[in-house]
Amino acid sequence: MLSLTLKKQYINDLVDWIEANLTDDLNIDLITLKSGYSKWHMQRMFKEMTGQTLAAYTRKRRLTLSAMALRLTRMPLIDIAVRFGFDNQQNFTRVFKNHFSVTPGAFRRIPDLPVKHFHGRIPVRSPIEQAELVMREDDLQLCGEVVEWECKFGDYIHDSEQRVAEQARHFVRFAGQYVERGWLGFQYSPGNSSAEQQHISLFQALESQHAEKLSSQVVNWTANRGLYAMIRWSGTPEQLTRFISDIYYLHLPALGVARRPGKDLLRLDLKASKPDWLIGVFAIPVTKD
């Protein structure tokens, strides 16, 4: 009989493999073959350790990623359907509507991003920090520099080119010389170079009174007052994009909110942060769903 530690490691390794193959022809028989156990034993262990069936987990993750593809790319519905394992667009629309209560086309057009039914990958352990809702009473005036680029949908989380990590590391080195607080603002939208590209905008900012510390290419921006989901975070620059995905797939759904337009802001404590270790608080603009 496997110990609890070995079961956790087994499930974590299996989930890693499932996550890496969500866009492939993934089915229970294939997962069973990968697991090394019988179909009955593998599914029983998965349900015991996670509280959900393997089929339900795989379906919810595929639907979640397909929903994000609808918002972050210009891919046609049929391409998204096929990419995430559906036989045809009609089947995809039926299953999607059953899960999100709207059709894929309607989901793509909603002004706010409804994340209540998003489903994240099973975490190795329960998150130490929990998000909370905070009402910001005042506007926050920021100025900074914007860096923009495009990447293939899904590549941003892995940050294989380490663009986010290197920008964050450079910003901490620079801003930490002058001020105690700095901001990284993240914004995402469909790309323009091809249908499956997503666009990333990274805002590296200080409070407006410190504009003279920046170059001549300064952009002014206001974080408006309103409701925000706030969560503390610390980690390496390389862990930043993975945590942002956890915000959308784990933390915001737990709050039962929708994300409203605006930037995801990471307020960095520059007195405590180092180029290789960031400490700060995320603020995500939300509205009660």
Side-chain angles (χ1 to χ4, degrees):
M1 181 178 294
L2 291 176
S3 68
L4 181 60
T5 299
L6 287 176
K7 285 183 179 180
K8 286 181 177 179
Q9 185 59 55
Y10 165 75
I11 293 299
N12 186 56
D13 290 344
L14 184 60
V15 168
D16 279 344
W17 184 82
I18 293 171
E19 289 290 318
N21 292 276
L22 283 173
T23 57
D24 295 333
D25 185 15
L26 195 60
N27 55 54
I28 296 297
D29 290 332
L30 186 60
I31 298 172
T32 299
L33 184 64
K34 168 63 181 177
S35 75
Y37 291 93
S38 70
K39 185 185 298 186
W40 178 86
H41 186 73
M42 184 264 294
Q43 293 190 89
R44 182 173 177 272
M45 189 189 307
F46 194 91
K47 179 69 179 294
E48 173 192 347
M49 298 300 296
T50 68
Q52 57 189 306
T53 67
L54 183 56
Y57 172 77
T58 304
R59 183 180 66 255
K60 290 175 182 176
R61 285 295 290 140
R62 281 179 153 175
L63 285 168
T64 297
L65 294 180
S66 70
M68 286 300 274
L70 286 167
R71 301 301 292 251
L72 296 181
T73 75
R74 304 183 193 280
M75 291 171 63
L77 296 188
I78 182 58
D79 290 353
I80 294 175
V82 171
R83 179 173 182 143
F84 292 102
F86 294 91
D87 296 333
N88 52 63
Q89 186 173 322
Q90 290 74 22
N91 186 38
F92 172 56
T93 297
R94 178 182 59 80
V95 177
F96 190 97
K97 186 176 181 180
N98 184 58
H99 185 78
F100 289 106
S101 300
V102 295
T103 65
F107 188 91
R108 181 168 251 170
R109 295 188 297 269
I110 297 172
D112 295 329
L113 174 63
V115 298
K116 182 169 59 177
H117 298 297
F118 277 15
H119 195 79
R121 69 153 284 158
I122 297 171
V124 179
R125 50 187 174 274
S126 299
I128 297 174
E129 298 290 349
Q130 300 292 331
E132 60 179 354
L133 295 176
V134 176
M135 182 63 71
R136 177 180 285 160
E137 302 294 341
D138 301 311
D139 294 342
L140 175 64
Q141 307 293 333
L142 298 175
C143 62
E145 301 169 357
V146 176
V147 180
E148 297 179 293
W149 69 95
E150 291 188 3
C151 68
K152 187 176 179 181
F153 177 72
D155 287 354
Y156 172 76
I157 294 175
H158 305 294
D159 194 19
S160 57
E161 296 181 3
Q162 296 194 349
R163 297 196 63 164
V164 173
E166 288 305 314
Q167 290 291 336
R169 189 174 280 112
H170 172 77
F171 179 70
V172 169
R173 287 195 189 101
F174 163 75
Q177 304 175 77
Y178 307 110
V179 295
E180 296 182 356
R181 295 186 300 180
W183 280 263
L184 294 177
F186 302 86
Q187 205 159 16
Y188 315 99
S189 60
N192 295 308
S193 57
S194 72
E196 62 178 10
Q197 294 287 104
Q198 67 177 94
H199 180 267
I200 297 99
S201 173
L202 175 57
F203 185 49
Q204 303 165 92
L206 305 176
E207 292 172 66
S208 294
Q209 63 266 32
H210 301 299
E212 76 281 354
K213 306 295 184 186
L214 302 168
S215 72
S216 58
Q217 304 298 317
V218 170
V219 175
N220 294 307
W221 183 76
T222 301
N224 295 319
R225 68 193 74 183
L227 188 65
Y228 287 82
M230 310 280 285
I231 182 168
R232 290 180 293 179
W233 178 76
S234 61
T236 68
E238 287 75 18
Q239 294 170 331
L240 187 51
T241 51
R242 173 62 65 183
F243 185 76
I244 292 173
S245 75
D246 286 345
I247 290 175
Y248 281 85
Y249 298 149
L250 296 173
H251 295 286
L252 294 187
L255 293 175
V257 296
R259 188 199 182 280
R260 58 186 171 86
K263 299 183 191 295
D264 298 343
L265 282 179
L266 172 59
R267 186 188 70 207
L268 289 168
D269 179 351
L270 294 174
K271 291 181 65 177
S273 295
K274 305 296 181 186
D276 293 318
W277 189 258
L278 312 180
I279 298 174
V281 179
F282 269 98
I284 315 297
V286 297
T287 183
K288 292 183 178 179
D289 196 2

